[in-house]
Amino acid sequence: MCSCNCEQPLVPSIVEVIDIVDETPDVRSFYVKCSEGGVPYSVQPGQCSMLSLPAGEGMFSCTWQEGNEYQHYAIKKVGLLTEELHSIEIGQKLGIRGPYGNGFPVEACKGKDMLFIAGGIGLAPLRSFIKYCFKHRDDYGKIDILYGSRSYADLCFKDELFNLWPQEKNTQVYVTIDNAEPEWDGHVGFVPSYLEELNPNPNGKIAVTCGPPIMIKFVLQSLEKMGYIDDQVITTLEMRMKCGIGKCGRCNVGSQYICVDGPVFTRTQLRQLPQEW
Amino acid sequence: MQVIDKNKIVPLLDRLSKQSEVFVPTVKGSESGFYSWNSLNGAKEIALEALNVYHSPKNVLFPQTERMYSIEQGKQVFSIPDTFQDEKSRIIFGIRACDAKAITCFDDVFLTHGYEDSFYATRRKNTIIIGNACYQPGANCFCSSMGINPVQPDADVVIHDAGTVYAWEAITVTGQQFTEQVQDLLEEKDLGLPQLKPFSTEFDYDGVVEKLQGMFDHEIWHELAEPCMNCGTCTYMCPSCHCFDIQVKIWGDKGYRFRCWDSCMYTEYTAEAGGGNPRPDSQDRFRNRFLHKLEFFTERYDYPLCTGCGRCISVCPNGINIIDIIKRIKEVDKIV
Amino acid sequence: MTDITLKIREIATRLLQSDQVDVFVGWEKGPQEYQTRPFFVRRVEDVEKLVFNEYSIHNLTNYLLKYRDSTDRVGLVVKGCDSRGIVRLLQDNQFKRNRLYIVGVCCPGIKDPLKIAKNQSGLACPPNNEEIADKCTRCLVPNPIIYDELLGESQEPHNSGERFSEIKTIENMDPNQRYQFFEDTLTQCIRCYACRQVCVACNCRTCIFDEMKPQWVGRENSTTDNMMYHLVKAMHMAGRCIECGECERVCPVNIPLMLINSKLVKDMDHFFGSYEAGMEYVEGQKPPLSVYNPDDPDDFI
């Protein structure tokens, strides 16, 4: 039976937290599945779910869905709900509804080289796409991952970043932190400037970026400078959401609702929208 | 033509309200609105002959506060014992074309574009709409300019004021079935319908959307928004403003989630948990409201989210006038 | 009033031309005469649109909040009641006196454009009084108390009858009756927050009602949440309300908000007085509830 509650899209179904992993001092990963087994619905890379505790609901990008086994959400502590989420323990029941949004164009990107550019918690939504590429490794060309955070401690998914992903075929991972640290011998500096330093050739490449709005804005500028045309650049946006189904009116950018028409937009689509994100 | 004698309206409402909750335009104290006929004890001052009532019937299909489902919490527990679907049968009696069009807007918002809002859908499915054709536009009315025919409201049945009787016109299949139920109160009569009186304001709305598409960064917004204090009065009195918030009320282990009207005029509306806000300034919110009504909604649903009822003009504490704003937008080329 | 209009234009022209202010806040005529509305002049060419007429009812001091984070020097027109709003903002450290050029107008009493708009709208409602605005019938201060330039002839207060007579009626109700009265009144509220937005004393950067962490007051439209909203708002007004009456005027559902505010005005004067908010500006002086005094009465706690 379908447990996604599609007849009543605003009413959550219930899942259970089966594991919690600390990623950084303020980012935690939650593994969830239905108590009777399986996932509540199938999520495509880049799509989101509305997770809830009794205290409130919040929209989170699904960082990975492992078959019918579990969904993974990496969540940064920023407000009331996320603070509560960070205080729960394994076994906690959560409300969940979704999947929301368009997701990444995984099919259209097949055969291309991929360049993922993320800052901070912005790696969370990209992770689903990155893992999808690795799962279907032969469908994609070279994969470059450029990721930056404020400090080493703030880097999410360290095991994947430093151990797993670099071992993947034809893959390069570049990591940077904002300020120098004694133990850090890697690159220091902001993501957009590191990107320009690396200057990846735009030929046959799709760039996917997510991070704080200010980083996205500079990354988009840098990509343009390096010769990426608008259709080659994809980003995923975030706005405050309540319903997730394009009714409550709150997440509009122009006539588009981030919850249903986004969160993933190409640069071409983004140019059609007012600068209000 | 079928007609109903005006003397039979009260008996009709009395009868209908035995099976359904009937919402009728009435005056109540210093207010007027669509109030439930059975809740109006004593003096029932029906306002069918007035231009319209102060509060639109938006509350009937989209209550200002609506409980959605109950929740229970405990150690690690979170469950949803009940979902509240309101299946009561309702009749909105005597709605004007502007407010009826606002319901059409709601139908498009809540029932189309990928998701059907089950709470609205249940209520809507069980609601019959009786329109009241409008032949005498008021001082702030401009529905005709927004593409609405005031004498043909979007309704199941339309009544037309023809002196001592209302002409009765069944429009939809639901309307025909409804008409059969009240057949004994109707009679056949030959009569002419009144002539629609001229509007005090008419303008050509064509081209406004295209114009606005290039005006997001126009300096005129600063000037237009300056008197606005971002109170939410216009949004709450508007028959077509549909934005809502989802909130929770909980005591101990039990509570419920509800939704309630929200206003794009408030800072909190788009404030993100992380501290950012894409529309931090009063002017940003003002612009979004007018662009949503006049441009964005049309881009999504093909017609504007303003039905020309004029309520916002009457209630704005600072004299902001949407007709004036549309006219200013139309003149923009001449200004720059 | 034509005279006053001409003088206001003259002053605005002078201030803008001599670069004494960046913006001048007054009124302009809307599409209908009664829709006189706040107007913001930055260019001398626009000065001609400024008017002062029988509908210039808005308390423009609230707009100063739009400029509090800028460096703009503001000229503005105030009536007697509005001028107390300036004292409010100065006392609350929201604005510096030296950024203001205040044009005071001795107020002859104003009509309420909202009432006329409602009467003319055709919406079914009992007809509203089109004469002097309700708030002017309680007027105590027709002549501005703080200004750089004063226009018009000094006026007598337009209030009639005994001050606080309505409050006394409510004080004399038995508690159940009184509770019922407020329950009936406040269930009408649609929580649009217009009363907060027009209030010059509501100058908190983040209002407690917008605070989400924690959320102090529920957003439900229910007796409980509505009462909570109004009680909290009223308490925040104690000793700070300058009785301009704008909250009550703009309420779209006619809640007699000034009843609540006036009760607090009366009690503040009784317990901490003699005291009237915003009646004079003395640098550094605070409203009684903004400072602790060991002699503060506490027998009502």
Side-chain angles (χ1 to χ4, degrees):
Chain A
M1 190 193 113
C2 161
S3 59
C4 71
N5 224 348
C6 40
E7 295 290 304
Q8 296 178 318
L10 291 174
V11 184
S13 32
I14 305 289
V15 287
E16 188 177 324
V17 176
I18 53 167
D19 199 9
I20 300 175
V21 174
D22 278 343
E23 302 289 349
T24 77
D26 59 4
V27 176
R28 237 168 221 198
S29 283
F30 299 86
Y31 294 76
V32 305
K33 66 170 210 181
C34 300
S35 299
E36 61 278 14
V39 290
Y41 44 77
S42 186
V43 187
Q44 297 305 307
Q47 285 190 311
C48 302
S49 290
M50 192 65 99
L51 296 184
S52 60
L53 282 168
E57 287 188 308
M59 189 68 94
F60 301 97
S61 187
C62 179
T63 4
W64 183 242
Q65 172 170 321
E66 186 61 44
N68 196 28
E69 282 170 36
Y70 63 80
Q71 287 174 1
H72 175 272
Y73 296 88
I75 296 173
K76 183 178 162 117
K77 184 156 73 170
V78 288
L80 198 62
L81 172 70
T82 50
E83 257 169 41
E84 281 229 6
L85 276 168
H86 275 237
S87 70
I88 64 172
E89 290 167 13
I90 293 170
Q92 171 75 42
K93 300 281 198 296
L94 294 181
I96 193 167
R97 54 189 179 88
Y100 297 129
N102 52 0
F104 289 111
V106 289
E107 291 299 324
C109 291
K110 284 191 173 157
K112 306 277 187 191
D113 290 346
M114 300 300 299
L115 167 62
F116 294 99
I117 309 157
I121 188 66
L123 185 57
L126 298 199
R127 181 179 182 263
S128 59
F129 197 176
I130 294 170
K131 285 182 69 93
Y132 183 92
C133 291
F134 289 144
K135 195 170 166 189
H136 305 87
R137 188 65 195 88
D138 294 337
D139 291 343
Y140 299 88
K142 182 167 193 302
I143 295 178
D144 289 304
I145 299 164
L146 164 54
Y147 177 51
S149 229
R150 277 172 303 177
S151 67
Y152 175 77
D154 288 309
L155 293 167
C156 297
F157 318 122
K158 291 192 186 68
D159 189 35
E160 289 169 331
L161 213 51
F162 296 111
N163 302 323
L164 301 177
W165 295 348
Q167 285 173 22
E168 293 281 350
K169 188 168 77 182
N170 198 13
T171 301
Q172 286 271 293
V173 180
Y174 305 92
V175 183
T176 180
I177 60 175
D178 289 356
N179 298 300
E181 288 173 25
E183 300 293 303
W184 176 255
D185 57 3
H187 189 276
V188 175
F190 295 124
V191 169
S193 55
Y194 194 19
L195 173 65
E196 290 192 27
E197 251 175 66
L198 294 168
N199 196 14
N201 189 329
N203 281 344
K205 203 163 269 170
I206 297 286
V208 189
T209 182
C210 184
I214 187 75
M215 186 209 88
I216 297 185
K217 277 169 198 172
F218 281 110
V219 165
L220 294 179
Q221 282 175 20
S222 301
L223 288 169
E224 197 175 333
K225 232 192 292 179
M226 293 185 296
Y228 287 75
I229 61 162
D230 290 351
D231 283 341
Q232 281 177 288
V233 180
I234 295 169
T235 185
T236 168
L237 299 182
E238 201 188 350
M239 284 271 276
R240 184 156 188 211
M241 297 179 197
K242 284 287 177 174
C243 73
I245 56 175
K247 317 292 185 203
C248 81
R250 159 181 317 252
C251 68
N252 79 299
V253 178
S255 62
Q256 304 287 296
Y257 285 119
I258 304 290
C259 64
V260 289
D261 306 312
V264 176
F265 295 96
T266 64
R267 178 88 166 115
T268 312
Q269 292 167 320
L270 224 46
R271 284 205 201 269
Q272 312 289 317
L273 302 179
Q275 281 283 310
E276 220 176 29
W277 43 271
Chain B
M1 183 182 292
Q2 288 197 304
V3 302
I4 182 166
D5 194 287
K6 285 189 177 172
N7 289 328
K8 289 188 180 155
I9 291 292
V10 169
L12 170 72
L13 296 172
D14 283 339
R15 186 204 290 182
L16 294 175
S17 53
K18 291 201 174 86
Q19 299 144 19
S20 305
E21 193 164 14
V22 186
F23 294 87
V24 187
T26 27
V27 177
K28 198 160 128 184
S30 63
E31 306 282 306
S32 60
F34 279 77
Y35 301 112
S36 169
W37 187 246
N38 282 338
S39 75
L40 297 162
N41 300 317
K44 293 174 173 175
E45 209 184 313
I46 305 180
L48 278 175
E49 293 188 23
L51 172 73
N52 206 340
V53 283
Y54 191 57
H55 297 283
S56 83
K58 121 166 142 178
N59 206 26
V60 176
L61 288 165
F62 178 49
Q64 178 159 9
T65 302
E66 173 175 25
R67 293 184 189 193
M68 300 196 296
Y69 50 89
S70 63
I71 54 185
E72 272 180 36
Q73 62 176 351
K75 191 170 162 45
Q76 301 213 320
V77 174
F78 178 17
S79 64
I80 298 176
D82 293 302
T83 304
F84 308 118
Q85 294 286 8
D86 185 350
E87 290 177 358
K88 209 162 28 181
S89 121
R90 287 180 169 78
I91 296 169
I92 300 176
F93 192 93
I95 187 173
R96 294 296 192 184
C98 48
D99 293 343
K101 179 71 177 186
I103 293 179
T104 306
C105 297
F106 279 19
D107 289 350
D108 273 333
V109 169
F110 288 113
L111 306 177
T112 72
H113 280 63
Y115 292 92
E116 191 173 272
D117 181 305
S118 56
F119 300 99
Y120 180 84
T122 309
R123 219 180 249 107
R124 182 69 178 91
K125 201 170 62 198
N126 295 306
T127 303
I128 296 173
I129 296 176
I130 317 295
N132 185 6
C134 188
Y135 288 93
Q136 267 191 307
N140 296 328
C141 290
F142 58 104
C143 69
S144 64
S145 302
M146 301 312 288
I148 292 162
N149 180 354
V151 302
Q152 267 320 324
D154 293 350
D156 297 306
V157 171
V158 175
I159 58 170
H160 302 258
D161 190 338
T164 56
V165 298
Y166 286 106
W168 184 283
E169 189 190 358
I171 308 283
T172 62
V173 176
T174 310
Q176 281 158 8
Q177 287 161 353
F178 176 76
T179 302
E180 278 161 30
Q181 287 171 33
V182 299
Q183 200 65 55
D184 58 309
L185 294 170
L186 307 178
E187 52 193 304
E188 278 294 331
K189 205 169 181 178
D190 271 338
L191 50 82
L193 292 178
Q195 278 289 308
L196 173 62
K197 296 260 174 13
F199 278 78
S200 56
T201 299
E202 272 189 295
F203 51 81
D204 183 4
Y205 192 71
D206 276 357
V208 171
V209 176
E210 294 72 16
K211 191 73 156 287
L212 285 169
Q213 283 167 342
M215 281 181 60
F216 188 81
D217 292 315
H218 200 281
E219 61 192 17
I220 197 174
W221 293 113
H222 179 68
E223 187 189 328
L224 295 175
E226 211 150 23
C228 176
M229 283 178 167
N230 292 103
C231 75
T233 318
C234 53
T235 54
Y236 280 23
M237 297 302 288
C238 175
S240 64
C241 271
H242 61 79
C243 293
F244 62 86
D245 193 358
I246 294 176
Q247 298 243 340
V248 67
K249 193 139 260 190
I250 203 155
W251 297 269
D253 297 341
K254 289 187 166 63
Y256 52 86
R257 282 233 172 92
F258 63 94
R259 65 169 161 197
C260 58
W261 296 356
D262 202 355
S263 172
C264 57
M265 287 285 131
Y266 305 153
T267 338
E268 188 267 327
Y269 182 72
T270 46
E272 285 157 14
N277 193 337
R279 289 194 277 273
D281 294 331
S282 160
Q283 183 190 322
D284 304 330
R285 300 192 285 279
F286 179 94
R287 175 177 60 188
N288 184 65
R289 175 164 197 269
F290 284 96
L291 288 181
H292 184 205
K293 295 230 159 270
L294 306 176
E295 179 199 336
F296 302 155
F297 194 86
T298 306
E299 288 166 350
R300 208 172 174 80
Y301 300 101
D302 230 21
Y303 58 95
L305 185 64
C306 170
T307 66
C309 77
R311 283 189 184 86
C312 57
I313 302 174
S314 307
V315 301
C316 177
N318 297 321
I320 293 165
N321 183 318
I322 188 168
I323 299 173
D324 199 30
I325 288 175
I326 295 171
K327 288 183 176 166
R328 293 288 304 278
I329 291 165
K330 284 171 68 80
E331 283 168 10
V332 154
D333 276 343
K334 295 170 207 160
I335 296 169
V336 182
Chain C
M1 296 209 206
T2 338
D3 272 5
I4 294 177
T5 295
L6 293 176
K7 280 187 186 143
I8 289 174
R9 289 179 189 168
E10 211 176 285
I11 296 167
T13 308
R14 190 186 77 223
L15 294 174
L16 288 163
Q17 270 174 351
S18 62
D19 192 30
Q20 270 184 276
V21 299
D22 300 293
V23 56
F24 188 91
V25 188
W27 293 269
E28 68 169 337
K29 238 194 262 177
Q32 267 101 18
E33 164 110 350
Y34 64 81
Q35 277 173 339
T36 294
R37 63 190 176 202
F39 185 54
F40 305 78
V41 190
R42 287 192 175 73
R43 299 174 306 192
V44 178
E45 310 85 278
D46 292 333
V47 162
E48 286 309 300
K49 293 188 200 156
L50 282 168
V51 294
F52 181 83
N53 64 23
E54 56 190 340
Y55 302 108
S56 298
I57 197 161
H58 320 81
N59 179 351
L60 303 177
T61 60
N62 181 289
Y63 288 105
L64 292 175
L65 296 173
K66 286 201 181 189
Y67 302 106
R68 70 176 149 186
D69 294 328
S70 73
T71 52
D72 283 353
R73 294 154 305 162
V74 186
L76 89 166
V77 187
V78 293
K79 306 180 292 294
C81 53
D82 310 337
S83 70
R84 295 169 70 187
I86 297 206
V87 177
R88 166 87 294 110
L89 292 173
L90 297 175
Q91 271 185 346
D92 291 351
N93 294 320
Q94 297 302 311
F95 226 86
K96 288 259 193 292
R97 178 70 179 90
N98 59 14
R99 280 175 61 200
L100 285 176
Y101 192 94
I102 307 164
V103 180
V105 176
C106 298
C107 177
I110 299 286
K111 295 176 180 175
D112 185 351
L114 277 174
K115 299 226 155 168
I116 295 154
K118 271 173 217 167
N119 285 351
Q120 301 207 352
S121 69
L123 299 175
C125 279
N128 287 301
N129 160 35
E130 295 205 357
E131 293 310 309
I132 186 170
D134 293 345
K135 68 181 204 173
C136 296
T137 64
R138 292 187 294 263
C139 165
L140 300 169
V141 190
N143 306 316
I145 50 160
I146 181 169
Y147 51 82
D148 293 298
E149 216 160 323
L150 189 65
L151 307 179
E153 306 253 316
S154 173
Q155 301 276 335
E156 287 301 312
H158 316 296
N159 61 340
S160 50
E162 188 200 349
R163 192 179 181 198
F164 301 130
S165 61
E166 289 163 302
I167 307 301
K168 285 172 190 156
T169 314
I170 293 171
E171 282 172 343
N172 288 332
M173 289 178 177
D174 74 63
N176 289 333
Q177 210 186 353
R178 191 159 59 227
Y179 187 85
Q180 194 58 50
F181 171 80
F182 281 108
E183 189 177 292
D184 292 347
T185 309
L186 298 178
T187 39
Q188 308 281 332
C189 176
I190 58 169
R191 302 287 292 283
C192 68
Y193 295 169
C195 50
R196 171 189 75 178
Q197 293 302 106
V198 296
C199 179
V200 66
C202 283
N203 53 38
C204 293
R205 285 183 181 268
T206 303
C207 173
I208 184 168
F209 305 118
D210 291 338
E211 189 68 69
M212 284 290 138
K213 214 176 139 184
Q215 186 184 33
W216 298 97
V217 179
R219 285 286 299 275
E220 219 174 11
N221 196 274
S222 63
T223 309
T224 320
D225 285 355
N226 288 5
M227 280 205 172
M228 187 68 181
Y229 168 70
H230 286 282
L231 286 177
V232 172
K233 183 172 185 296
M235 285 304 161
H236 287 193
M237 287 301 115
R240 308 183 66 253
C241 169
I242 47 104
E243 296 174 276
C244 71
E246 281 289 90
C247 52
E248 183 172 301
R249 181 181 79 84
V250 303
C251 176
V253 291
N254 299 311
I255 297 175
L257 291 158
M258 282 310 289
L259 273 185
I260 305 173
N261 291 332
S262 302
K263 164 69 175 162
L264 287 159
V265 168
K266 181 169 170 280
D267 284 358
M268 285 304 294
D269 184 52
H270 175 71
F271 290 113
F272 299 91
S274 65
Y275 175 74
E276 292 269 4
M279 282 301 206
E280 56 172 348
Y281 177 59
V282 179
E283 213 177 321
Q285 200 176 62
K286 295 279 171 209
L289 295 191
S290 298
V291 281
Y292 171 69
N293 183 338
D295 302 331
D296 281 344
D298 57 8
D299 44 343
F300 54 84
I301 296 173

